[in-house]
Amino acid sequence: MTTQSPRPSDADSGGAASNFIRNIIAEDLAAGRHTRVVTRFPPEPNGYLHIGHAKSILLNFGLAADFGGVCHMRFDDTNPAAEDLEYVEAIQRDVRWLGGDWGDKLFFASDYFERLYAFAVELIRKGKAYVCSLSEAETREMRGTVTEPGRDSPYRNRSVEENLELFARMRAGEFPEGAHVLRAKIDMAAPNMKMRDPPIYRIKRARHYRTGDAWCVYPLYDFAHSLSDAIEGITHSICTLEFENNRELYDWFIEHLDVPSRPRQYEFARLNLNYTVMSKRKLLGLVKGGHVKGWDDPRMPTIAGLRRRGVTPEAIRSFCEEIGVAKTNSMVDIAKFESCVRDDLNLRAPRVMAVLRPLRVVLENYPEGQVEEIDAPYWPEDVPKQGSRKVPLSRVLFIERDDFLEDPPKKWFRLAPGQQVRLRYAGFITCREVVKDPTTGEVVELRCTYDHPTKSGEAPDGRKPKGTLHWVSAAHAIPVEVRLYDRLFAVERPDAVEEGKDFLENLNQGSLASLTGCRVEPSLSTVERGSHVQFERQGFFFVDPVDSAPGAPVFNRTVALKDSWSKLAGEKPAPAAAPEGAAAKAPPPRPKAERATFEERLARLDPARADRARRLVEARGIPGDDALVLAEDDGLLRLFEEAVAVHDNPRSAANWVIHSLSRELKDRKTGDLPFSGAQLGELLALIDDGTISGKIAKDVLAEIMQQGGSPRAIVERRGLRQVADEGALERIVDQIIAAHPGEVSRFRAGNTKLIGFFVGQVLKASGGKANPDLVNTLLTRKLA
């Protein structure tokens, strides 16, 4: 069973579905700002890639493919102390597995060390950079705060000649680490602290995995990244939101140096998953601390770990498609990811039977030595595939130990003394006797009778046991090792630790259960490494590609199936009695529980609430999960209805009520809020009519949650309205054009890529409030 790599162009994060970055690129091409799209994926080779990087990979490679362009693979290898060839090779392997194809466009920042050094010298010659001899602590102390300006370094006014000499001596290796840094000379009072004379080169006494000991000074990220983009002719440099404040510095380097091209940076929301850490530093700590068994441990969120667990590139692509490309960060429920994995494996994993914790069952009335071969399908009825295997039935079987209780509670539909169940694909059995170990009292064997007339699965008298159990023939079953993987962390936000505590304290001590002595049906005797199967009623499993050997497979649980009994009993999850022919499939669940399908969840509601949820889906177009949340919470539903009455955008209202407002409620009740849904509707109207951005809207929401008030009035009082007055913007545009005659000449000479530079300058001058579409129109008209 093999897995095909996805085409990145199929992914929403890089495919045909619209998102704001796709729209920007389409507009740039339509306006003639670019004739070809060039993106890049620029990982640092200081660790393995994780699922957050997968979103960026699919986005960058997908956008380039969709617009007929190219995506470069560039390693940002400017920190030799943390980098290794192992990481370079692992990253390339992971990107290829996800479908990324860079062709001959493989680059390294270290390829440009000489050119980057020359750019630094150019800044010094222009009086735009200086060698600073402050210590790290002194630099930090003089940097100021977000409310107080920084102070100039006493070395800021060194002459150009002195700076050139010192920088050359830094390169020659005359100074120890920390003695000097090269800093850009910008503005120590800049509101954006990234612009307060940032360091651009530092001394680093470490051997580089590619250049050896040729260098002892290395560029810092912002300097190397922007200029590498410019060297390679990148048109759209796509980063995650944590680099939003870096964009001004990115543009500053491009503006003040004679670069071969002028790329522009755009930011999108990074992928954040609950029950997960995404920091490479913390992932490295897990590996080096022995808390996991390497970067490819199936509990890790690394692409290598997910691949070894049995997650396919198609499932990751589907997940990225579902979460989309947004402008604001949010936390994604890991259960949504697990649901995408189930949906993918449901169509690729044949069904087989396995018993993980065997309990011996003797069918007393079944003839000794007799073996029946039962034809069992590999696929349920709702999967459009065919195929079957022979399953032997004999006198002695193994069933799951969890499927028997000697003293069962109500609604226990599995096996118990005197109770009847059906064997999957076979007849009914009834437990007649329980055999225990005389020393420990543990149940070691069940003596049962087999109802021969029911071997077709139906009783002549119409009896229908409520429980169906999976099983294997003891004489024919194959012993295997099974590894049950669970979430690595036990809490939803493992990073959110109290002062003095460590995120490692949130590790889930039950994240791995390695079971030996498990039994699988004989059809798996020749199963190959890297094969997917579903153990009926257990979950989706993957034959470990590392530890498996011929005839001795090791099965990794990729993802569990939903379980109904554990919710009724309030117990630790155990295999549920599956209905005949049911496919193991579940939609995205809510935190901390694997949930049933939308219809099954509706069935659990009282009729009025179920009807309410259906109406929200059918009449209002609300997604099923959101509809269920609103139907079950009268307070949230009230706010939603009041918001929609003011501004008719149901999907937006549901999204804000559930995902923005409810997160801020904490211990408060909706009835205690100092505002009504009408104010929320007013806020949504301000977003939709372009008065404010979504980011500003969140600030306004935070204010009305504290003290109420009219969102429109708050926007006006705080001056948050987007500037869309052509006259007002025209004055700013004219000022920017007048202040940059060189760029104007180059634009009119044919370098139309500079339009992005001018838009950025206008937005900066307007405090980010200028309407970018109108700015673009004005600049295009005036510069032409």
Side-chain angles (χ1 to χ4, degrees):
M1 298 169 219
T2 58
T3 299
Q4 290 184 333
S5 294
R7 294 184 302 107
S9 58
D10 288 340
D12 173 66
S13 51
S18 179
N19 61 62
F20 75 97
I21 295 178
R22 165 178 291 283
N23 294 339
I24 288 170
I25 293 175
E27 290 169 7
D28 285 347
L29 292 173
R33 300 183 194 106
H34 303 292
T35 56
R36 191 185 189 204
V37 173
V38 183
T39 61
R40 84 290 169 272
F41 176 61
E44 299 175 63
N46 59 359
Y48 280 52
L49 300 181
H50 54 63
I51 190 171
H53 295 109
K55 180 177 178 182
S56 181
I57 292 166
L58 291 171
L59 179 62
N60 279 287
F61 280 94
L63 287 170
D66 289 338
F67 286 101
V70 63
C71 180
H72 294 186
M73 179 77 163
R74 181 177 73 239
F75 287 92
D76 179 25
D77 54 349
T78 58
N79 183 13
E83 297 160 357
D84 195 281
L85 185 60
E86 174 196 351
Y87 299 139
V88 173
E89 293 171 346
I91 289 169
Q92 292 187 66
R93 186 164 57 245
D94 290 345
V95 174
R96 285 196 184 98
W97 181 74
L98 281 170
D101 181 8
W102 54 85
D104 62 351
K105 304 300 182 183
L106 175 63
F107 303 106
F108 296 81
S110 53
D111 293 337
Y112 312 132
F113 278 173
E114 199 65 59
R115 295 183 71 177
L116 295 172
Y117 182 84
F119 280 131
V121 170
E122 181 184 341
L123 283 179
I124 294 173
R125 292 189 186 281
K126 290 180 175 180
K128 298 292 185 182
Y130 63 96
V131 174
C132 181
S133 305
L134 291 174
S135 69
E136 186 175 343
E138 290 170 331
T139 302
R140 187 165 48 247
E141 192 274 329
M142 296 181 70
R143 193 168 176 234
T145 68
V146 291
T147 57
E148 297 177 357
R151 290 174 286 148
D152 286 353
S153 165
Y155 307 101
R156 197 173 195 266
N157 294 318
R158 278 174 165 158
S159 68
V160 169
E161 291 74 19
E162 184 181 5
N163 285 318
L164 288 172
E165 179 193 3
L166 285 170
F167 191 45
R169 293 173 63 193
M170 287 169 62
R171 175 177 178 171
E174 295 186 22
F175 306 112
E177 284 192 21
H180 307 289
V181 296
L182 183 67
R183 297 174 68 179
K185 187 186 289 187
I186 305 179
D187 182 4
M188 288 302 293
N192 181 355
M193 295 184 70
K194 294 283 185 184
M195 303 299 288
R196 294 184 183 178
D197 289 12
I200 57 177
Y201 260 90
R202 81 288 205 197
I203 301 169
K204 202 78 173 175
R205 298 284 185 172
R207 184 175 180 82
H208 193 280
Y209 74 99
R210 291 188 79 231
T211 61
D213 296 321
W215 292 87
C216 61
V217 290
Y218 292 92
L220 277 88
Y221 171 81
D222 289 298
F223 187 74
H225 178 66
S226 57
L227 296 175
S228 296
D229 281 351
I231 290 168
E232 293 178 16
I234 302 302
T235 58
H236 298 82
S237 182
I238 303 168
C239 305
T240 46
L241 278 176
E242 63 263 37
F243 295 101
E244 187 173 18
N245 288 337
N246 300 58
R247 190 198 321 147
E248 188 176 0
L249 182 56
Y250 182 103
D251 291 340
W252 189 89
F253 289 130
I254 299 298
E255 178 185 348
H256 288 88
L257 287 165
D258 186 16
V259 292
S261 71
R262 290 186 171 268
R264 286 209 62 198
Q265 177 177 304
Y266 302 91
E267 305 87 23
F268 70 99
R270 65 178 295 168
L271 172 58
N272 296 303
L273 279 176
N274 58 8
Y275 297 97
T276 310
V277 295
M278 294 289 205
S279 160
K280 271 196 199 174
R281 178 180 59 81
K282 290 180 178 177
L283 294 176
L284 179 62
L286 289 169
V287 174
K288 290 194 170 181
H291 303 286
V292 294
K293 299 177 181 179
W295 287 98
D296 67 343
D297 188 303
R299 293 167 292 179
M300 290 280 273
T302 56
I303 295 174
L306 294 171
R307 180 168 63 243
R308 187 170 175 186
R309 187 162 176 163
V311 175
T312 69
E314 288 86 354
I316 294 175
R317 180 185 64 190
S318 174
F319 174 59
C320 290
E321 176 182 337
E322 185 162 325
I323 61 177
V325 179
K327 294 183 180 181
T328 55
N329 283 323
S330 62
M331 184 65 68
V332 178
D333 187 355
I334 195 172
K336 187 184 291 289
F337 174 64
E338 292 168 349
S339 175
C340 291
V341 174
R342 286 191 195 93
D343 286 348
D344 173 76
L345 295 179
N346 183 54
L347 299 176
R348 79 171 67 241
R351 277 53 168 175
V352 294
M353 292 192 290
V355 174
L356 306 189
R357 299 173 179 86
L359 176 60
R360 180 181 168 92
V361 172
V362 178
L363 304 181
E364 295 184 301
N365 63 333
Y366 199 95
E368 289 199 42
Q370 178 174 316
V371 178
E372 293 181 64
E373 286 199 329
I374 301 171
D375 193 56
Y378 275 125
W379 307 99
E381 293 178 357
D382 64 343
V383 175
K385 292 186 177 182
Q386 295 183 352
S388 63
R389 79 281 189 195
K390 299 295 183 180
V391 177
L393 175 67
S394 63
R395 177 182 172 86
V396 182
L397 312 176
F398 287 126
I399 67 166
E400 203 67 56
R401 184 168 293 275
D402 292 335
D403 280 342
F404 173 79
L405 279 180
E406 192 172 9
D407 184 20
K410 292 181 179 179
K411 297 187 179 180
W412 177 261
F413 299 135
R414 307 179 201 177
L415 202 56
Q419 194 155 308
Q420 188 176 71
V421 297
R422 184 196 170 191
L423 295 179
R424 181 76 156 144
Y425 306 118
F428 305 167
I429 64 171
T430 304
C431 179
R432 301 299 184 188
E433 181 184 350
V434 178
V435 180
K436 298 182 180 181
D437 184 296
T439 304
T440 64
E442 179 186 9
V443 176
V444 294
E445 183 178 283
L446 303 179
R447 312 291 291 189
C448 301
T449 55
Y450 184 67
D451 193 346
H452 289 274
T454 65
K455 66 180 182 179
S456 66
E458 296 182 1
D461 57 6
R463 281 177 292 128
K464 291 184 178 181
K466 293 185 177 179
T468 298
L469 306 186
H470 63 278
W471 54 277
V472 293
S473 168
H476 303 86
I478 301 167
V480 297
E481 179 184 348
V482 174
R483 296 169 181 170
L484 301 180
Y485 292 102
D486 202 348
R487 295 169 184 174
L488 186 56
F489 290 92
V491 298
E492 190 170 357
R493 301 286 181 94
D495 278 335
V497 294
E498 298 177 16
E499 187 174 352
K501 292 190 176 182
D502 193 290
F503 80 103
L504 293 172
E505 296 180 37
N506 292 325
L507 281 170
N508 174 14
Q509 300 305 318
S511 62
L512 169 60
S514 186
L515 308 179
T516 56
C518 306
R519 299 291 191 274
V520 299
E521 63 177 62
S523 68
L524 293 175
S525 61
T526 58
V527 69
E528 297 179 354
R529 294 179 182 183
S531 297
H532 298 275
V533 295
Q534 183 199 116
F535 291 166
E536 297 200 47
R537 303 177 58 237
Q538 304 276 17
F540 291 100
F541 289 78
F542 184 66
V543 183
D544 190 285
V546 178
D547 293 339
S548 296
V554 175
F555 290 91
N556 297 333
R557 183 171 66 184
T558 307
V559 66
L561 305 183
K562 62 187 177 70
D563 176 60
S564 57
W565 167 250
S566 61
K567 296 169 185 60
L568 292 171
E571 295 178 349
K572 189 177 175 181
E580 195 72 41
K585 182 178 178 182
R590 290 180 61 76
K592 299 188 181 180
E594 293 177 331
R595 302 293 295 271
T597 64
F598 178 67
E599 288 297 328
E600 288 172 330
R601 292 164 69 185
L602 278 180
R604 296 177 187 169
L605 299 179
D606 66 69
R609 291 186 184 276
D611 185 58
R612 182 187 297 169
R614 283 198 184 89
R615 288 201 308 272
L616 286 168
V617 171
E618 295 167 3
R620 298 294 186 89
I622 306 299
D625 275 356
D626 288 355
L628 286 163
V629 173
L630 293 175
E632 293 180 274
D633 192 310
D634 292 337
L636 293 180
L637 180 63
R638 174 182 59 80
L639 290 170
F640 165 79
E641 294 290 0
E642 291 173 350
V644 172
V646 171
H647 182 65
D648 190 17
N649 188 338
R651 289 180 71 95
S652 178
N655 182 61
W656 275 79
V657 166
I658 295 169
H659 301 292
S660 295
L661 187 149
S662 63
R663 282 192 183 127
E664 300 298 326
L665 281 174
K666 297 183 173 64
D667 296 329
R668 301 166 70 186
K669 297 180 180 179
T670 53
D672 298 331
L673 293 174
F675 67 94
S676 69
Q679 277 75 48
L680 181 62
E682 184 180 316
L683 182 66
L684 300 180
L686 292 172
I687 300 170
D688 288 352
D689 67 14
T691 301
I692 59 174
S693 66
K695 185 176 181 181
I696 291 174
K698 290 191 174 183
D699 293 337
V700 176
L701 178 63
E703 181 168 333
I704 65 173
M705 287 201 63
Q706 292 300 318
Q707 57 194 42
S710 161
R712 191 173 296 277
I714 292 170
V715 168
E716 299 301 335
R717 172 170 53 80
R718 293 175 53 187
L720 301 175
R721 177 186 288 271
Q722 279 195 119
V723 179
D725 177 77
E726 185 169 333
L729 286 181
E730 192 168 17
R731 288 192 294 273
I732 300 176
V733 168
D734 288 341
Q735 292 169 1
I736 296 300
I737 290 175
H740 297 86
E743 284 76 8
V744 171
S745 298
R746 287 156 63 191
F747 180 89
R748 289 174 175 160
N751 190 353
T752 56
K753 295 179 181 179
L754 282 169
I755 191 70
F757 162 77
F758 286 109
V759 172
Q761 293 297 312
V762 174
L763 290 174
K764 178 181 175 183
S766 68
K769 298 175 186 174
N771 183 299
D773 293 332
L774 182 54
V775 169
N776 208 316
T777 300
L778 287 170
L779 282 167
T780 302
R781 185 173 72 219
K782 288 179 175 290
L783 289 171

